[in-house]
Amino acid sequence: MYSHGSESLIKQAREIQESELQKFYSRLIKLLQEKEHGHETIDSLQRLRLIVSATKYTRTLPPELQKRLRLLLSSPVEQLQVLSSAVLRETLPLTAQKYGQDGNSQLNSHTTALLLSQAESRDDLSALCTQLLRNLDNRTSEGPTHLLLHTLPVVNTILTYSPESLTEDNIIILSKKLIDWLRYASTTQGGGASSGGFFTGSRSRQPLPTAELDGTVSGDFFTVLCVGQGFTEDQWMNVYSFSMLRHWLLTFHFVPGGTVADTDDRSEIDGSVVSMVSVTSSTGRLLPPKERLREKAFQYCQRLIEQSDRKAQKKTDTELQKACLVEAVCILDCVCLEDASFVYRVFPCIKALFGRLSSDLTFARVLLPVAQFYLNHGELAAVECDCVWNLVFGRFPTELFNDPFLAHELLRFLRLNLENVQLRVPQYTRYFPNLLKFLAWDSPAVIDDFVDLLPSMVTSGTSLELLHTLLDLPCLSATLLLQLRSMCLPISDSGGRSLASMDAFRNPSFRGLFLFLLRGEAGTGDTIDRLSTLLELLSEAVDWPRVIQCAQTVPILLHIFFNTVITVADRTLLGQVLLVLLERSSLLLNIPKYIAEIHRVFSRQLTKLCKLHPSLVIDQSHELLEFAGATSNVYSKQEIYTHVVLVLGEYLSVSYDSRCSVRLITSCFETLEAVLFEITSSAPLPGVGCPAPRVITTLMSALAKLASRSHDLIPRVSLFLSKLRNVSSGGTVSWCDDEEDLVSIVTLGEELCALLKTPGVAQSVLNPPAHVTAPRWHQDTNVAMPLQLRALTRLTQAHASHAQHAPTSASHHTST
């Protein structure tokens, strides 16, 4: 909310009378006509700013005032530029035609921002661009400098937000100018000192030749890697042109069909013999400007790559060399994408660059554009690319996993080129243990990348190993920390004792365990034989922040993994995945929240897998029964144990798989019966809580379902449920410490007993037909039975009561 004083000023601005407003305009025009503008002028402009912005209606200023305000845009006083720009933003649009007619040919950031903000349509932007480029094309060497220096940023902005605003004539004009600036900038230093930016140095009275970064005299045309004490206008435009060249190439891909000869281009007059040949077609005619720009871009980038091999005298110049190399390789890639004939000319240069830089990992970010070039053009050039991928996917993650900039660039490279990488780099999936090091080291920063990339790593050959690797990510995070710490002085805790995990990391007897986690490629085995030993060695890492962050991302990735693996794996492989779920449920780094989340994911995915392929329950019945028969799992793995019992009771049926025998049903029944009897007949061990009510109700429902499929088992489950009801009626029991939960358990037992008295009804309710999408009569999703089952139970009870009093009538109802 505005203050009382501010609201009063806004109200006055809104209610100002037209006569008073005209007097104010006249007074302000007189002030602006003066050569010097003092505080009174600034105060008046601030008041005008308030007046024009205090109403939702657009104000129309007098033409003379608007002209004076436009002149202020080029004032040397920054405050006047800001105020005039703010006022003009609230008035009628400042069109390109008016801009070109008022004689104000100086551009600055406020003028360009105003022009771009007031463009109401593509036609306005096109007119603005045309006017700027026309002024640029007609400009004499004695014209003002500001127009030239601000034109390219304005055009680049238009190119970013509205590339369709540039006409073909605009493209041709600017292409000509870019050719001149890139290839024919002067090679002598300017008379004044540098104004900053890339070039620094002291003043020099006499113009000297520009120099290379190693101090030698520049022997060829000027580039961004040439240095000097001062720089001319066309040298600055050389830098600007190079900075926007890739954007220019990427956006337009050059309008096809342009065949206009550039009769006024300097290459026809003062270019070298090589330049003349390169811009001349086979028929003797000059190539269009857009095609000649490719040639000049190629020559410029070749020279940059040559200059990057020189030993820079300053560290900042070394970083500049790397940045220019990245841009140069990217531009060459764009040129080759546009004209495949350039591939054969560019590839020897790129290959030599890779050979020179591949052994120096400080150039890793430079080598990624080189890898992009190999990916795009390696097949056409018929060159061997394995050495590139072994470096990018092998050494980079292994040695530079803790470089956040490289991680971002490498993962971005994969995301942008994922389809091509999968098609042309078959060994890509083999490197997933290496790539996951980025995730293990800095999970929050790269999780979005791996959400997109992980499905591409899931194949029938990598699924099992990838699943184990995802579950071991927190261990990998801890191991990477230990690896870095081991390179420094020994790390000690506050008591002066060395970390046990660090001692284990340096112990040769455990070295193999850690080396497996740090492996660079897949295929050496699914998991570690002594995984429990490794988890014990890393037990003190469970509270390290980086490890905890990594553990928080694993459930997200597991969901993505399972959603993908069901699309690429057959039933045999899914059965092996199911066994991994059972095995790894007890082999996880001991972070309580992490274990709980993983068990929750396992439970959901176990049910999903068995619902998709019910035959998995028969295929893996031995392992499932072994897991369900371990009473300790009731207490330590409640979530996943509940779902194992659930799938056994639901899918161990001949309606899902003809291999399901009475003997298998009986074996499963006896296993679950023994567990339920054990947990309900004795108090839990000290320090162990009571079994969850849901586990008990799921076991009861599973036993009832199995008994409904083998009627010989009905007396056994009925007797057990009756005893359970009798024991519970005596008051509190040791295996359930909540009275409401106990009531729910007893109620379920009574409902199941009543239902099993009529086996035919029980079979239809508890064993609905397979592959039916209609609402289910019975699903163990809650502690209590669904409403439908309650209603059917009451019907069966009423039926049994009626049969006792009227046998004939009961027989009639039964037959019905």
Side-chain angles (χ1 to χ4, degrees):
M1 296 297 291
Y2 294 110
S3 65
H4 179 71
S6 299
E7 289 182 353
S8 176
L9 290 174
I10 293 173
K11 184 177 181 182
Q12 292 176 23
R14 287 174 178 172
E15 296 176 353
I16 187 171
Q17 298 298 318
E18 184 65 25
S19 59
E20 184 181 355
L21 186 59
Q22 293 301 325
K23 292 180 182 179
F24 174 70
Y25 287 158
S26 300
R27 186 168 65 253
L28 183 56
I29 291 173
K30 291 180 181 179
L31 290 172
L32 294 178
Q33 288 174 345
E34 297 177 0
K35 293 183 178 180
E36 299 292 335
H37 303 303
H39 294 294
E40 184 179 358
T41 304
I42 293 177
D43 291 341
S44 297
L45 287 173
Q46 290 175 338
R47 185 182 176 193
L48 178 60
R49 167 73 175 87
L50 180 61
I51 291 172
V52 297
S53 61
T55 175
K56 64 180 180 180
Y57 303 106
T58 302
R59 297 281 189 179
T60 303
L61 299 180
E64 180 64 21
L65 178 57
Q66 194 171 34
K67 178 182 177 181
R68 294 292 172 181
L69 289 172
R70 290 202 299 270
L71 291 173
L72 282 183
L73 290 172
S74 57
S75 170
V77 181
E78 181 79 12
Q79 190 174 8
L80 292 176
Q81 294 179 20
V82 172
L83 286 172
S84 60
S85 175
V87 171
L88 290 172
R89 282 173 185 266
E90 301 292 340
T91 61
L92 294 178
L94 178 63
T95 62
Q97 288 79 4
K98 291 181 180 179
Y99 166 78
Q101 294 169 1
D102 62 11
N104 176 23
S105 58
Q106 291 190 357
L107 280 175
N108 55 39
S109 59
H110 300 292
T111 308
T112 55
L114 176 62
L115 291 170
L116 294 174
S117 67
Q118 290 193 332
E120 296 180 340
S121 65
R122 187 180 71 178
D123 292 338
D124 289 342
L125 287 174
S126 182
L128 171 61
C129 192
T130 300
Q131 182 66 44
L132 292 173
L133 293 178
R134 184 180 296 118
N135 292 344
L136 185 66
D137 197 37
N138 297 332
R139 177 182 174 275
T140 62
S141 58
E142 293 79 15
T145 303
H146 291 81
L147 174 63
L148 192 61
L149 296 182
H150 286 83
T151 296
L152 285 188
V154 176
V155 175
N156 199 38
T157 302
I158 296 175
L159 194 65
T160 301
Y161 296 104
S162 183
E164 65 277 4
S165 299
L166 273 71
T167 65
E168 185 171 353
D169 288 340
N170 296 151
I171 297 171
I172 291 175
I173 290 173
L174 191 53
S175 294
K176 292 179 181 181
K177 289 298 178 182
L178 290 175
I179 291 170
D180 283 345
W181 290 324
L182 286 171
R183 185 62 179 85
Y184 304 108
S186 58
T187 57
T188 58
Q189 302 180 29
S194 170
S195 59
F198 292 112
F199 315 107
T200 57
S202 60
R203 291 185 177 272
S204 175
R205 294 183 179 180
Q206 296 297 327
L208 298 173
T210 55
E212 304 290 350
L213 294 181
D214 60 358
T216 61
V217 175
S218 178
D220 207 334
F221 60 90
F222 181 88
T223 71
V224 68
L225 288 180
C226 294
V227 295
Q229 296 174 337
F231 294 88
T232 61
E233 180 186 272
D234 61 343
Q235 288 170 351
W236 280 111
M237 295 311 297
N238 181 284
V239 176
Y240 288 178
S241 300
F242 175 68
S243 68
M244 72 167 289
L245 181 58
R246 178 159 59 111
H247 189 197
W248 183 257
L249 298 176
L250 281 174
T251 303
F252 284 104
H253 296 290
F254 303 110
V255 177
T259 56
V260 180
D262 184 13
T263 57
D264 61 346
D265 186 75
R266 292 174 56 183
S267 62
E268 299 181 42
I269 303 171
D270 59 356
S272 64
V273 175
V274 175
S275 300
M276 288 294 293
V277 172
S278 65
V279 300
T280 306
S281 66
S282 58
T283 60
R285 293 180 300 136
L286 293 176
L287 295 173
K290 293 171 289 184
E291 296 185 18
R292 274 184 286 121
L293 181 58
R294 295 177 193 155
E295 181 67 33
K296 300 308 178 186
F298 167 65
Q299 295 175 10
Y300 193 96
C301 293
Q302 267 196 322
R303 171 146 164 73
L304 284 179
I305 292 174
E306 173 198 339
Q307 288 177 296
S308 68
D309 196 23
R310 298 176 181 269
K311 180 69 173 178
Q313 295 178 335
K314 300 178 182 178
K315 183 179 180 181
T316 54
D317 288 339
T318 301
E319 296 303 315
L320 176 61
Q321 284 179 315
K322 294 179 182 179
C324 290
L325 272 177
V326 170
E327 192 68 12
V329 175
C330 291
I331 290 172
L332 289 174
D333 185 40
C334 294
V335 170
C336 291
L337 288 173
E338 283 303 313
D339 187 347
S341 64
F342 276 93
V343 172
Y344 306 102
R345 300 169 61 189
V346 173
F347 228 112
C349 178
I350 297 297
K351 185 176 181 181
L353 180 65
F354 176 79
R356 174 161 58 89
L357 302 181
S358 59
S359 59
D360 188 353
L361 291 183
T362 61
F363 285 90
R365 296 180 67 190
V366 177
L367 290 168
L368 286 179
V370 174
Q372 179 76 69
F373 192 92
Y374 271 83
L375 181 65
N376 291 340
H377 310 291
E379 186 175 354
L380 177 62
V383 297
E384 179 62 43
C385 302
D386 287 348
C387 57
V388 177
W389 309 126
N390 290 336
L391 177 68
V392 172
F393 299 142
R395 286 190 64 195
F396 282 4
T398 297
E399 302 183 38
L400 303 174
F401 61 86
N402 59 333
D403 184 340
F405 299 105
L406 177 67
H408 169 74
E409 293 294 336
L410 177 54
L411 296 178
R412 180 176 178 272
F413 164 78
L414 283 175
R415 291 177 67 178
L416 294 177
N417 301 278
L418 187 55
E419 186 176 346
N420 278 342
V421 169
Q422 289 179 285
L423 179 65
R424 300 177 183 178
V425 190
Q427 65 267 41
Y428 156 66
T429 55
R430 196 176 73 223
Y431 285 104
F432 75 80
N434 230 17
L435 295 172
L436 286 173
K437 291 176 183 177
F438 291 125
L439 182 67
W441 180 258
D442 195 4
S443 301
V446 302
I447 180 62
D448 290 341
D449 297 288
F450 278 95
V451 167
D452 292 338
L453 293 176
L454 186 62
S456 66
M457 302 177 183
V458 182
T459 67
S460 57
T462 64
S463 296
L464 293 180
E465 186 174 353
L466 180 57
L467 177 54
H468 282 289
T469 305
L470 291 176
L471 294 172
D472 290 333
L473 271 181
C475 299
L476 176 58
S477 180
T479 303
L480 292 174
L481 281 166
L482 293 174
Q483 183 183 34
L484 288 182
R485 289 177 179 178
S486 67
M487 299 176 185
C488 309
L489 294 175
I491 304 298
S492 301
D493 61 6
S494 56
R497 296 169 299 176
S498 61
L499 294 173
S501 54
M502 180 64 72
D503 295 338
F505 182 80
R506 292 171 172 172
N507 190 331
S509 61
F510 300 126
R511 188 63 178 165
L513 302 178
F514 293 102
L515 288 178
F516 180 82
L517 287 178
L518 295 173
R519 69 194 186 282
E521 298 182 30
T524 56
D526 293 341
T527 186
I528 309 172
D529 293 335
R530 295 187 294 163
L531 183 56
S532 57
T533 302
L534 177 65
L535 295 174
E536 184 178 350
L537 295 174
L538 294 175
S539 59
E540 65 182 351
V542 297
D543 57 353
W544 294 356
R546 197 176 294 274
V547 175
I548 293 174
Q549 282 186 337
C550 180
Q552 292 170 348
T553 65
V554 175
I556 301 171
L557 299 173
L558 285 178
H559 280 298
I560 297 172
F561 169 83
F562 284 111
N563 290 338
T564 306
V565 76
I566 59 177
T567 65
V568 301
D570 56 14
R571 198 179 81 189
T572 302
L573 180 56
L574 291 179
Q576 295 175 322
V577 170
L578 188 149
L579 295 182
V580 173
L581 301 189
L582 300 179
E583 174 192 3
R584 291 304 304 267
S585 62
S586 57
L587 291 173
L588 298 169
L589 193 62
N590 190 24
I591 305 175
K593 290 185 178 180
Y594 171 66
I595 294 176
E597 285 296 323
I598 297 302
H599 283 182
R600 189 173 293 109
V601 174
F602 279 4
S603 302
R604 179 177 176 180
Q605 298 301 331
L606 173 70
T607 306
K608 187 176 180 180
L609 287 176
C610 294
K611 184 177 181 179
L612 187 64
H613 296 282
S615 296
L616 289 175
V617 178
I618 303 297
D619 295 339
Q620 313 300 335
S621 59
H622 176 75
E623 289 78 9
L624 289 170
L625 287 178
E626 185 178 0
F627 185 91
T631 307
S632 58
N633 292 336
V634 174
Y635 302 97
S636 61
K637 306 171 189 176
Q638 169 198 324
E639 187 79 20
I640 189 170
Y641 182 86
T642 302
H643 285 77
V644 167
V645 173
L646 184 64
V647 298
L648 285 171
E650 185 74 17
Y651 300 111
L652 201 62
S653 169
V654 69
S655 60
Y656 288 104
D657 195 313
S658 59
R659 296 175 297 166
C660 182
S661 62
V662 174
R663 180 178 180 181
L664 182 58
I665 292 176
T666 302
S667 175
C668 180
F669 180 91
E670 291 175 346
T671 299
L672 301 183
E673 181 186 38
V675 173
L676 183 58
F677 176 79
E678 183 174 351
I679 64 177
T680 57
S681 61
S682 59
L685 296 175
V688 179
C690 296
R694 189 184 178 196
V695 176
I696 297 175
T697 56
T698 304
L699 283 166
M700 293 165 61
S701 298
L703 290 174
K705 290 179 182 182
L706 294 171
S708 68
R709 297 165 199 159
S710 178
H711 293 177
D712 293 342
L713 301 174
I714 290 179
R716 292 175 59 174
V717 69
S718 298
L719 178 61
F720 181 85
L721 294 176
S722 299
K723 290 182 178 179
L724 186 64
R725 179 184 56 190
N726 295 334
V727 171
S728 303
S729 62
T732 58
V733 293
S734 58
W735 45 267
C736 185
D737 53 8
D738 187 279
E739 185 176 351
E740 291 184 3
D741 292 338
L742 183 60
V743 171
S744 299
I745 293 171
V746 172
T747 302
L748 176 62
E750 292 175 349
E751 292 170 342
L752 291 174
C753 283
L755 188 60
L756 289 172
K757 289 179 181 179
T758 52
V761 175
Q763 186 171 10
S764 63
V765 172
L766 298 176
N767 301 280
H771 312 298
V772 174
T773 58
R776 304 297 297 270
W777 286 105
H778 174 65
Q779 289 184 336
D780 292 308
T781 57
N782 299 300
V783 174
M785 297 292 285
L787 179 63
Q788 296 91 334
L789 184 54
R790 292 180 182 275
L792 285 172
T793 302
R794 294 190 183 98
L795 287 175
T796 55
Q797 290 174 340
H799 177 81
S801 176
H802 181 67
Q804 292 178 357
H805 295 86
T808 305
S809 176
S811 301
H812 172 71
H813 285 301
T814 303
S815 62
T816 302

